[in-house]
């Protein structure tokens, strides 16, 4: 199957430069994939000329407008028909592409994806699923901020979508699911969490996932489950807190080493493994959140990412298109609806 | 003023050993402070004998029972009169001590403190305030898990209590307050956050704090504000996620260095600064959360802490007693009540 990726070439703090640069890397690893680049033609053409191989696999679709990174959702819908984001999402509707990627405004991407692609019935709310590096590999954490609130039914939807996502990403038939809470004891947490806990238990045999129970913030990086389910407010704060902590520790390490002559010498000798370490904690490496729950494969890249991060996110979109995530989720979720009735 | 610290000598995963060992450190830095040790006498006496100087400053008050670390709140209140925790909190009621510290069951400490000491009128809910290491020093983050839900009025109470706490801890007359959210733009977040944002703006001149606005998870470690206000669910997840991230990065660093011969050599040469780095990211260093909102100075140490962590937490309790945090908070909060009327 030949995959076509629809790209919002203008979305992101450093777009379109890092977008085109990133796709040139993606192209090397996925030479069969085609790209549809939505954006301002005059700006994209000279960038694309630097990568003739990528150019061969790409079509530019000119769009006169761009969604600002700080635009409000209400403004976006009103005047978005000419934007690269609106058009790039539209490519999925017309079957011109198999997945869409954007590093632009998250609220706008969600609003446009929901409006144009519509939700998979009966999912009420989409969720952003991210990969989180752990002691043992990677864990899916969702929702990372598509919604600021979630009721028990939403959390169950996230659990089912996360299960399908884990099956594809980790090639694991029966993924282990954890529900994020302030303690692992059954008595912990508020009512929404307790009700979701009951639902997760109730559905684990039908949907073939293994429900581990509550997990705490420090359990995420331990990698004890394949999927950590939480509401978008908590998930977003947790992700950003982890990023901030990683930066702080990098800063501490650097200042400890440079403030001592033996530290400087040791760091100079160990520069190669220290560079590997720096690479390992680079958040770009695991960039890319899948917007699950809409009728289409939509991947959100971090707005401030570099070309490596954009390449990682676009490869995720390609993997999800190849893995047929959409069909897997809608089949499962429909089964959920049937059971509910 | 001579300070007496009431100590739940039996609370914590490694109590009473690390408690007595920790207090021996505290005693060296605060030789004028007296200690009231609540717990099983036969166990405490031989430990205390190892530190004659501390022994001189300590009274043991025998309690026949101990609150289990995993006991449920309902069980605790029913059978807690003979526990070290119940008795240690009681010392504040009888003016036998100026502050109480426990590394025991958080739920039990909160329940007993609320029941015995009562809330500062009109605060509805207590909050745990912790110190968080940052690029520029430390930031107070609260609530770290006293409650799993908070309404806008609760968040305003946390803001006012956090302001007084920052004034004492940082000796800063007009602390900078941030409200934790999923984005810094005004349109972000759910209704509770938006209402709290309005309240924080409304009260900043009256209560003499500087309201910075929304902050994101990654802003905590940047140290851009003195106090980060959030509900206890989010705060607890953020804290534990940061701890988990720190461990993961330590693990990555170690494996990067040990998997390469030059890494091993460099690490050996830089062992002194690397040890300083390890010390710096040790969570024990900033152990100790103040339970604000109750009529008494109550400090919670991490249950799994070591003697260094317990010493840090007990020194925090002493500082708060010396700084008269209780009077500062109740005066401010009463002013809040007067304005509301």
């Amino acid at each position: 199957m030949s995959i076509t990726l629809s790209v919002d070439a203008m979305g992101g703090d450093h777009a379109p430069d890092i977008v085109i640069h990133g796709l040139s890397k993606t192209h090397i690893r996925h030479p069969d994939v085609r790209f549809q680049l939505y954006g301002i033609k005059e700006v994209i053409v000279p960038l694309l000329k630097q990568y003739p191989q990528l150019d061969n696999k790409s079509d530019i679709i000119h769009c006169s407008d761009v969604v600002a990174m700080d635009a409000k959702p209400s403004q976006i819908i009103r005047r978005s028909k000419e934007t690269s984001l609106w058009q790039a999402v539209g490519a999925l509707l017309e079957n011109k592409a198999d997945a869409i990627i954007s590093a632009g405004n998250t609220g706008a991407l969600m609003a446009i994806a929901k409006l144009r692609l519509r939700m998979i019935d009966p999912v009420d709310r989409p969720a952003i699923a991210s990969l989180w590096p752990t002691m043992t590999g990677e864990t899916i954490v969702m929702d990372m901020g598509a919604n600021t609130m979630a009721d028990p039914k939403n959390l169950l939807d996230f659990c089912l979508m996360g299960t399908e996502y884990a099956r594809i990403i980790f090639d694991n038939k029966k993924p282990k699911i954890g529900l994020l809470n302030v303690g692992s004891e059954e008595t912990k947490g508020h009512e929404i969490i307790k009700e979701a806990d009951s639902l997760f238990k109730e559905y684990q045999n039908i949907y073939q996932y293994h429900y581990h129970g509550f997990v705490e913030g420090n359990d995420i990086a331990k990698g004890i489950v394949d999927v950590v389910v939480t509401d978008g407010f908590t998930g977003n704060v947790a992700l950003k807190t982890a990023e901030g902590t990683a930066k702080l520790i990098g800063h501490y390490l650097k200042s400890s080493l440079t403030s001592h002559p033996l530290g400087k010498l040791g760091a100079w000798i160990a520069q190669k493994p220290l560079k590997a370490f720096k690479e390992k904690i680079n958040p770009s490496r695991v960039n890319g959140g899948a917007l699950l729950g809409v009728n289409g494969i939509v991947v959100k890249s971090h707005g401030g990412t570099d070309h490596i991060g954009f390449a990682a996110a676009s490869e995720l979109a390609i993997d999800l298109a190849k893995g047929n995530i959409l069909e897997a989720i809608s089949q499962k979720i429909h089964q959920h609806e049937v059971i509910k009735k």
Side-chain angles (χ1 to χ4, degrees), chain A residues 5-111:
Chain A
L5 184 61
S6 171
V7 180
D8 167 18
M10 309 308 288
D13 299 339
H14 314 295
D17 302 58
I18 64 105
V19 171
I20 306 301
H21 189 177
L23 292 178
S24 73
K25 305 276 173 201
T26 309
H27 167 70
I28 294 166
R29 282 187 285 258
H30 296 275
D32 53 328
V33 171
R34 287 204 63 86
F35 301 95
Q36 293 213 322
L37 311 178
Y38 290 82
I40 297 167
K41 204 163 185 173
E42 308 88 271
V43 187
I44 298 171
V45 168
L47 290 168
L48 199 55
K49 283 276 166 274
Q50 298 172 36
Y51 310 99
Q53 309 259 356
L54 174 66
D55 196 0
N56 270 337
K57 285 287 188 178
S58 303
D59 301 307
I60 302 175
I61 299 97
H62 178 72
C63 310
S64 56
D65 202 0
V66 174
V67 174
M69 289 304 276
D70 57 355
K72 290 183 187 178
S74 55
Q75 298 172 329
I76 294 154
I77 300 296
R78 218 179 314 129
R79 50 170 284 278
S80 63
K81 312 281 182 289
E82 297 307 316
T83 62
S84 57
L85 182 54
W86 179 274
Q87 296 289 338
V89 170
L92 301 194
L93 275 180
E94 300 150 31
N95 285 320
K96 286 191 209 155
D98 304 287
I100 179 250
I101 178 164
S102 172
N105 183 315
T106 309
L109 176 61
M110 268 189 45

Side-chain angles (χ1 to χ4, degrees), chain A residues 162-294:
Chain A
T163 297
E164 295 312 315
Y165 194 58
R167 283 199 237 269
I168 289 169
I169 295 277
F170 302 138
D171 197 17
N172 179 340
K173 288 220 173 83
K174 199 173 177 178
K176 226 182 195 176
I177 314 285
L179 180 58
L180 192 60
N181 197 357
V182 294
S184 52
E185 304 87 2
E186 292 233 336
T187 54
K188 293 283 177 112
H190 48 60
E191 283 315 306
I192 293 170
I193 288 290
K194 286 175 189 168
E195 276 179 48
D197 178 59
S198 303
L199 287 175
F200 282 27
K201 277 178 193 147
E202 191 185 332
Y203 283 91
Q204 65 177 327
N205 288 328
I206 308 166
Y207 289 102
Q208 287 291 300
Y209 58 84
H210 172 78
Y211 179 47
H212 172 86
F214 294 140
V215 292
E216 300 181 63
N218 51 327
D219 293 326
I220 304 174
K222 283 184 195 158
I224 58 177
V225 293
D226 299 303
V227 185
V228 172
V229 176
T230 187
D231 65 273
F233 192 92
T234 313
N236 185 283
V237 167
L239 178 71
K240 287 178 181 162
T241 301
E243 284 174 5
T245 306
K247 271 194 188 159
L248 179 69
I249 292 176
H251 167 81
Y252 280 166
L253 179 64
K254 203 174 170 182
S255 70
S256 297
L257 289 174
T258 53
S259 65
H260 195 285
L262 288 177
K264 281 184 192 165
L265 178 64
W268 181 76
I269 291 170
Q271 56 187 293
K272 212 174 151 185
L274 281 176
K275 206 182 151 196
F277 163 71
K278 209 177 155 188
E279 203 48 57
K280 193 138 194 185
I281 66 167
N282 178 2
S284 293
R285 210 175 50 91
V286 286
N287 183 38
L291 184 70
L292 304 179
V294 293

